[in-house]
Amino acid sequence: MNLKNKIILACLAVLLPLVSLPALAQSAVSDQYKWLTFTVFGTIICFTMFVTYLAAKRVKTAKDFYTAGGGVSGLQNGWAIAGDYLSAASFLGIAGLISIWGYDGFMYSVGWLVAYISVLLVIAEPCRNIGKYTLADILAYRNDPKKTRVVGAISVITVSTFYLIAQMVGGGVLVKTLIGIDYEYSVIAVGILMLSYVLFGGMVATTWVQIIKAILLVTASIVMVIMVWSQYGFFGDFLNNVVNDPKVQARVATILGDAAKNMTPTELGQRFLEPGLLFKAPIDQISLGMALVFGTAGMPHILMRFFTVPTAQEARKSVVWAMGIIGGFYVLTLFLGMGAAMKVGAPTIIGVDPGGNMAAPLLAQALGGGKDSLMGNFMLAFVAAVAFATIVAVVAGLVLAAASAMAHDIYVGVIRGEHATQAEQVKAARIATVVFGAIAIALGIAAKGQNVAHLVALAFAVASSANFPCVFLTLFWRKCNTGGIVTGMIVGTVTAIGIVLISPNMTYPIAVKAASEKAIKGADDKLVKLNADLAAAADDATKAKITVDVEKANKAKAAAQKKIDDLKGETTSLVGLDKPLFELKNPGIISIPLGFLAVIIGSLLYRDKRADEMWDELYVRQNTGILTAKAVSH
Amino acid sequence: MAQSALNWAAIDNDPRFQRLHSKKVAFLSGLMLLSIVYYFLLPIGAAYFTDLFKIKVFGVVNFGIVFALSEFIVAWGIAAFYTVKAKEFDAMAQELIREADKIGAKK
């Protein structure tokens, strides 16, 4: 079977379950317009597959597979970084947070952009100057290659896996919510699609898929924002409309509860533009901010992108482009989120997905003319397809990073002692891709129904506490050595994960039970009162209204009871705790300093002649690009 | 993988490299510190200076929104400033790359 046939087969494997399955579950797209959604999805998938087909012909060596031959331009790489970075969490999640919580959601988006300053100033250029394919290449340069490759690869695989599970679950839920295809099929579809990009086209195809996706995402956002502006006015007028919008005012009243009683409608609307509706624990926010600012620079799939450009200058240019695209996108998100708060309204958004992830797709539908219009459903289908492409593109980048750690660092570097032919290396990379792709699909299905939102934060926590201190200190601190890298990687990873295991992120059965019992009691009290009201009600209209409330209370009671049943009699969390030992959800504020400290102490206690002897070479090269730049000019 | 064809210690000790190195370290650490301080002012301000964030600057637009938007401007500003400044470093590095064979010739 030739390459073309293989790719067509993979394409069919994805499309068939999408088309042939009857849509049983309830979804955002009505049955009448499903064909439209499939057409848009299909067009985008076929287009990316065609690009993969072209790319596959160009992948011959390990360098092609891992870094697209190092021939990507700064502009292209900037778009690809944006495509790699704007994951479902930031694209769908932040628009959702803004639509439900107002200002706090917007504030949250800032950290995701600021994170790129550390990438620009301290990571991108030195890594381009001394790196080859992977994060561990940088660690292995002056330290013991085998030891640092092993710890580096473990950390890369850990970070990628956490991030990957969050993306796979997000993708499954997204497709299920939008078009009603079963969760398992959605995850498999995401997995197969991503596998065919990476397997056949390596970094060449992954780069182009990321560029295409970023362009689609930015285009869709600009079109939607222009539509929002044309309806609600530009900046000042727009925000004035937000403050005076009854849906926004009602939302704030719901959040504030009793505190909202003495507030005028305008005050309620204004409150939406003020901090504090969502975030109550500032230290937690600062901790998350630290994980973002230092973690992005330690994200293996982002770091890997800098090996695809020829020079440090191009690496710099790509970060600047990425910052422009990513930052511009988040500014647009402010208008998308607040636009959705007015046009769709928080109750509807939360009704489709409690996390608010459907705010942008629902806004697209509303802007196009609503649930029953052709244009509305076309726009929904388009945004949904972009969101789907987003997940596939991010997952492809992650799988490539994890596969490179397995194949290049562990297999070629450690097992084969750096001796492998090009053909063997590419084969190892492809096998690792399939293995990791299969793991991703399996974990995605296994994590069904789990709350995985905190896994993204955990991935950033590990990247900032283990990867970043190690990469940063080996590049900039003469005394850093193998001992420091090994200790730092282990301490950073273990503390970040360990703290999360004892944090409020975990489920604490006793607390869940207490809260659920309280909810049941509240519902019971309400039912008693409602039934009394019902008996006293004079006319049918009042009766009907009370009956609705009775149903609501019964539903709340059943939901609380289900939560208790789901615990299956367990009384302690996964690690055997009654209540969290650590009060913050984000471990960064503790684990990042510990990670740095571990590298420093480990280096001082360990003697490593090679790390010291190689320092001059590494430091001169990372600063000047000698040899790297030369290789290109020749 | 390490290429040791050059005498790296000699290049490291070259005054031109030392000048590049100290200029870069001073510039980058200063800019990095500025960006971190400015960023963390946002969550700290939102939590502990809520009244300041609620002050209206014009119309319904309050200080908090202006400050959050300024984070974007500052981030882009830092990127632009560095892009300009880096040209200077590039020129200095270029000189070292050109003469690397001479300075770094093995004795």
Side-chain angles (χ1 to χ4, degrees):
Chain A
M1 194 159 43
N2 67 21
L3 183 68
K4 200 173 177 181
N5 289 344
K6 277 187 201 166
I7 290 176
I8 290 171
L9 204 70
C11 203
L12 285 177
V14 174
L15 285 175
L16 275 181
L18 290 180
V19 179
S20 60
L21 277 170
L24 298 171
Q26 203 187 355
S27 61
V29 179
S30 55
D31 285 342
Q32 189 192 348
Y33 288 109
K34 285 253 158 73
W35 62 271
L36 192 61
T37 313
F38 289 126
T39 313
V40 178
F41 268 66
T43 310
I44 293 180
I45 290 172
C46 289
F47 181 55
T48 53
M49 279 297 170
F50 176 67
V51 170
T52 306
Y53 170 69
L54 295 180
K57 293 187 194 167
R58 287 173 48 195
V59 177
K60 293 190 176 71
T61 63
K63 194 174 180 197
D64 296 331
F65 191 88
Y66 292 129
T67 69
V72 177
S73 77
L75 174 62
Q76 290 167 342
N77 199 36
W79 280 92
I81 292 170
D84 211 354
Y85 190 63
L86 294 171
S87 63
S90 50
F91 164 42
L92 299 171
I94 290 176
L97 282 180
I98 296 174
S99 73
I100 302 176
W101 304 102
Y103 183 84
D104 279 2
F106 183 50
M107 189 174 91
Y108 175 77
S109 74
V110 172
W112 296 78
L113 170 70
V114 173
Y116 273 87
I117 295 179
S118 33
V119 177
L120 175 69
L121 298 183
V122 296
I123 292 295
E125 296 176 48
C127 286
R128 167 59 284 173
N129 278 338
I130 66 154
K132 197 176 168 197
Y133 304 148
T134 64
L135 185 145
D137 280 340
I138 298 159
L139 304 178
Y141 196 94
R142 57 188 276 238
N143 303 300
D144 182 310
K146 287 198 176 172
K147 291 189 184 110
T148 46
R149 277 189 194 285
V150 171
V151 287
I154 291 173
S155 167
V156 164
I157 292 169
T158 310
V159 171
S160 308
T161 307
F162 287 147
Y163 210 117
L164 197 66
I165 297 174
Q167 295 296 320
M168 294 300 274
V169 173
V173 172
L174 175 86
V175 176
K176 187 178 184 312
T177 316
L178 283 166
I179 40 184
I181 291 170
D182 281 345
Y183 175 85
E184 285 82 358
Y185 286 106
S186 310
V187 169
I188 293 171
V190 171
I192 294 179
L193 204 56
M194 163 278 292
L195 259 179
S196 37
Y197 297 143
V198 182
L199 190 60
F200 299 118
M203 185 54 107
V204 185
T206 305
T207 302
W208 281 106
V209 168
Q210 286 166 347
I211 293 173
I212 292 167
K213 166 244 156 150
I215 292 173
L216 287 174
L217 182 59
V218 169
T219 312
S221 306
I222 291 175
V223 169
M224 281 166 71
V225 166
I226 289 173
M227 290 175 86
V228 168
W229 280 343
S230 70
Q231 197 169 345
Y232 295 102
F234 184 65
F235 195 66
D237 293 335
F238 173 84
L239 291 173
N240 200 32
N241 277 318
V242 172
V243 170
N244 291 310
D245 188 86
K247 280 186 192 143
V248 170
Q249 292 164 354
R251 170 63 190 158
V252 177
T254 315
I255 301 172
L256 293 179
D258 289 342
K261 271 185 188 145
N262 297 323
M263 289 167 80
T264 65
T266 328
E267 279 172 352
L268 285 171
Q270 186 69 38
R271 188 72 186 80
F272 202 62
L273 305 182
E274 292 166 358
L277 289 181
L278 173 61
F279 300 134
K280 311 281 183 210
I283 306 291
D284 225 348
Q285 281 322 108
I286 292 167
S287 191
L288 174 68
M290 286 175 71
L292 288 177
V293 168
F294 299 114
T296 306
M299 275 290 170
H301 65 300
I302 299 293
L303 236 155
M304 201 173 175
R305 291 236 52 93
F306 296 114
F307 305 132
T308 65
V309 291
T311 60
Q313 286 74 29
E314 291 297 309
R316 179 193 311 148
K317 212 193 267 173
S318 56
V319 191
V320 173
W321 269 105
M323 284 180 73
I325 299 161
I326 293 167
F329 177 78
Y330 287 139
V331 173
L332 294 183
T333 310
L334 171 69
F335 299 101
L336 292 182
M338 298 224 168
M342 293 188 279
K343 189 88 189 163
V344 184
T348 314
I349 296 168
I350 298 171
V352 178
D353 176 81
N357 286 323
M358 291 302 132
L362 287 173
L363 174 66
Q365 192 181 37
L367 285 172
K371 229 174 150 42
D372 303 314
S373 67
L374 182 70
M375 193 56 197
N377 281 288
F378 173 73
M379 285 189 57
L380 171 64
F382 188 75
V383 171
V386 172
F388 183 72
T390 289
I391 289 169
V392 176
V394 175
V395 168
L398 287 166
V399 166
L400 195 53
S404 66
M406 270 192 223
H408 176 69
D409 293 324
I410 300 291
Y411 178 72
V412 176
V414 177
I415 299 175
R416 300 287 298 269
E418 318 264 347
H419 299 293
T421 64
Q422 282 298 331
E424 283 173 333
Q425 288 192 38
V426 175
K427 196 175 169 196
R430 291 208 155 115
I431 292 172
T433 304
V434 175
V435 170
F436 203 74
I439 293 174
I441 294 173
L443 286 175
I445 291 175
K448 182 185 182 180
Q450 300 291 313
N451 178 7
V452 292
H454 59 269
L455 282 179
V456 172
L458 184 56
F460 274 93
V462 174
S464 59
S465 315
N467 299 0
F468 182 73
C470 290
V471 172
F472 179 76
L473 290 173
T474 197
L475 286 172
F476 291 96
W477 188 43
R478 174 169 221 139
K479 291 202 170 97
C480 180
N481 60 31
T482 313
I485 301 298
V486 174
T487 338
M489 279 290 184
I490 294 172
V491 171
T493 308
V494 170
T495 46
I497 298 174
I499 292 176
V500 167
L501 283 177
I502 58 165
S503 76
N505 292 305
M506 308 303 288
T507 305
Y508 294 91
I510 293 178
V512 172
K513 206 173 163 205
S516 303
E517 275 166 357
K518 202 176 157 203
I520 291 176
K521 196 174 170 296
D524 278 338
D525 291 348
K526 206 173 171 191
L527 280 174
V528 171
K529 191 174 166 291
L530 285 173
N531 283 328
D533 287 349
L534 195 61
D539 58 303
D540 286 348
T542 324
K543 270 188 186 164
K545 199 168 163 275
I546 296 173
T547 317
V548 172
D549 284 344
V550 169
E551 269 169 25
K552 266 189 196 165
N554 275 325
K555 255 190 194 164
K557 201 178 150 184
Q561 186 58 46
K562 189 173 176 299
K563 272 189 187 165
I564 296 181
D565 294 343
D566 283 348
L567 296 175
K568 298 186 187 92
E570 280 179 42
T571 54
T572 56
S573 75
L574 190 67
V575 289
L577 291 173
D578 293 340
K579 59 181 193 330
L581 283 179
F582 186 74
E583 287 306 322
L584 302 181
K585 284 184 172 169
N586 297 288
I589 202 163
I590 306 283
S591 61
I592 297 170
L594 272 180
F596 272 99
L597 207 63
V599 182
I600 293 170
I601 294 174
S603 299
L604 294 177
L605 292 178
Y606 189 84
R607 293 210 184 282
D608 187 351
K609 223 169 127 222
R610 183 168 179 263
D612 195 47
E613 281 171 0
M614 293 288 288
W615 167 253
D616 286 336
E617 176 176 338
L618 173 133
Y619 197 67
V620 169
R621 281 193 68 187
Q622 70 104 326
N623 269 299
T624 59
I626 294 175
L627 292 184
T628 320
K630 272 194 145 179
V632 172
S633 62
H634 283 186
Chain B
M1 57 174 286
Q3 307 210 25
S4 301
L6 294 166
N7 181 353
W8 297 102
I11 305 177
D12 192 5
N13 287 326
D14 190 280
R16 281 168 295 184
F17 180 78
Q18 286 299 322
R19 210 158 60 87
L20 170 66
H21 146 81
S22 51
K23 269 192 140 178
K24 244 179 139 173
V25 168
F27 180 78
L28 293 181
S29 49
L31 212 52
M32 193 69 220
L33 194 70
L34 173 83
S35 79
I36 289 179
V37 169
Y38 198 75
Y39 167 59
F40 283 106
L41 282 178
L42 180 67
I44 293 171
Y48 300 106
F49 300 94
T50 321
D51 290 339
L52 172 69
F53 272 48
K54 288 181 178 177
I55 293 172
K56 286 184 195 166
V57 179
F58 61 92
V60 297
V61 180
N62 59 31
F63 181 77
I65 290 178
V66 174
F67 191 66
L69 285 171
S70 81
E71 292 277 349
F72 289 85
I73 308 294
V74 168
W76 287 327
I78 287 175
F81 184 35
Y82 175 63
T83 308
V84 173
K85 188 81 183 171
K87 296 232 164 70
E88 209 177 291
F89 301 144
D90 284 349
M92 292 167 85
Q94 205 53 46
E95 198 183 333
L96 287 161
I97 295 172
R98 254 197 321 270
E99 301 194 9
D101 294 331
K102 217 190 294 167
I103 319 165
K106 287 259 171 150
K107 280 156 213 150

